[in-house]
Amino acid sequence: MSSAMVCAGSMPRGPARLVSGARDAAPGVRLELPAAPGAVPGRRHRSRALPAPGSRAQSRAGSADSAAGNGREAGEEERTNLAGVRHILLVLSGKGGVGKSTLSTELALALRSAGKRVGILDVDLCGPSIPRMLRVQDSAVHQCDSGWVPVFVGQDKAIALMSIGFLLERPDDAVVWRGPKKNALIKQFVTDVAWGELDFLIVDTPPGTSDEHISTVEALRPYQLLGAILVTTPQECTNIFSKGGGEELAKHAGVPFLGCVPLDPQLSQSLEEGRDFIQEFPKSSAFPALTHIAQQIVDTSQRSS
């Protein structure tokens, strides 16, 4: 898996109340959602339930998974829902507030503008901002025979999105869960979402380095990841108007530097209002930077195919 780096300006986030819980979510218990319109009532989908962390059922499942039969079954389930995804791209950041979810959203819009079918898996469980950025925060997630149906964005439905933001009772609620519960939901997101045919699946991870990142990478290990993008700001400490820090870090890490996205009020405004920045602000200073980064991702995917 290759890595690359983007230097981005920090984007503001609105306040959120410290409230625990998502719909029908209990520790180690599988989330069950309403059936999608047209789904056959009572018909089971192919993915399996996750046992409670630390339970005897989990121990038995762990032992059984080492056997060839259950190992094949789990692999078949995962391949079923990700079989149509050509390239998977992780988006990471060393800390919060640097524009990671902003970049994930704008990359998806830029790739869609280039004629690509894109999915976004938002595993930033404690700060699921992408539904609002794409103006689908009031949408609902349903179940079908193959698992969860993602929310489709826009009239062309060229962007599919799955986020815990769709499972919260209120959009301002924050998820306060221990690690095992978060990890169980991430695994369920990876195995249970029916993505269909996608050119790119962008995985927006939480800020920092934590259990969630390990769980995400482990769950995606059977698949050929296109790479990872690290989003950072240019300063070493506090001056966001510094320059060159991201490029220096890329040189130090020995990874490609994809570009620098300048601070732009139009970009911030479009995200707050759920507008398509790529379509509506082609004269913005951030537009060429974002489209250039997206084109480099397309070029990399073509070389890897």
Side-chain angles (χ1 to χ4, degrees):
M1 183 177 73
S2 61
S3 299
M5 192 165 301
V6 173
C7 182
S10 61
M11 305 300 298
R13 276 185 174 179
R17 290 172 294 143
L18 194 63
V19 181
S20 174
R23 271 203 298 263
D24 299 328
V29 176
R30 164 184 217 84
L31 285 170
E32 296 293 344
L33 304 172
V40 179
R43 188 169 179 181
R44 299 175 61 186
H45 55 76
R46 291 184 289 271
S47 52
R48 61 176 180 170
L50 295 172
S55 66
R56 285 181 293 179
Q58 185 187 44
S59 300
R60 290 196 300 269
S63 300
D65 282 348
S66 62
N70 284 355
R72 284 194 301 270
E73 180 184 352
E76 288 168 1
E77 289 163 359
E78 293 173 359
R79 281 193 293 271
T80 297
N81 280 337
L82 286 174
V85 178
R86 296 182 60 193
H87 304 289
I88 301 174
L89 183 67
L90 298 178
V91 182
L92 314 163
S93 68
K95 61 180 180 179
V98 300
K100 173 183 55 60
S101 296
T102 293
L103 186 72
S104 296
T105 300
E106 298 306 327
L107 277 181
L109 292 171
L111 290 169
R112 179 181 71 173
S113 182
K116 305 300 181 182
R117 293 165 298 182
V118 188
I120 305 177
L121 177 56
D122 182 8
V123 295
D124 189 353
L125 303 183
C126 295
S129 55
I130 292 182
R132 179 178 176 180
M133 291 178 176
L134 292 174
R135 209 173 184 176
V136 291
Q137 66 269 30
D138 295 326
S139 300
V141 174
H142 299 277
Q143 283 187 317
C144 67
D145 292 346
S146 300
W148 291 355
V149 181
V151 170
F152 293 96
V153 179
Q155 294 183 347
D156 57 0
K157 297 185 177 182
I159 296 179
L161 170 64
M162 175 56 73
S163 170
I164 195 174
F166 299 130
L167 310 179
L168 299 176
E169 293 290 348
R170 291 164 294 188
D172 288 337
D173 286 357
V175 178
V176 185
W177 286 354
R178 294 188 184 274
K181 191 171 178 181
K182 292 180 180 179
N183 298 338
L185 182 60
I186 289 173
K187 292 176 183 177
Q188 194 174 352
F189 273 169
V190 170
T191 59
D192 283 17
V193 179
W195 294 107
E197 298 292 325
L198 294 178
D199 296 306
F200 295 93
L201 176 61
I202 298 171
V203 183
D204 184 47
T205 66
T209 53
S210 64
D211 239 11
E212 292 100 304
H213 299 84
I214 298 173
S215 295
T216 301
V217 173
E218 288 289 337
L220 293 172
R221 190 179 295 277
Y223 311 99
Q224 184 64 39
L225 296 179
L226 178 63
I229 294 178
L230 176 64
V231 183
T232 184
T233 46
Q235 78 278 12
E236 291 186 11
C237 293
T238 59
N239 183 10
I240 62 172
F241 299 103
S242 302
K243 59 175 65 175
E247 192 168 6
E248 284 299 317
L249 183 59
K251 290 179 181 178
H252 178 76
V255 298
F257 180 70
L258 296 181
C260 182
V261 181
L263 289 169
D264 187 339
Q266 290 180 320
L267 177 56
S268 177
Q269 179 184 0
S270 69
L271 291 165
E272 291 293 336
E273 298 175 357
R275 299 163 64 184
D276 188 337
F277 174 82
I278 299 298
Q279 293 293 328
E280 297 187 30
F281 298 99
K283 295 182 179 179
S284 163
S285 59
F287 177 86
L290 291 167
T291 53
H292 178 64
I293 293 169
Q295 186 58 52
Q296 290 181 82
I297 292 172
V298 172
D299 294 342
T300 300
S301 69
Q302 292 173 346
R303 290 194 297 268
S304 68
S305 298

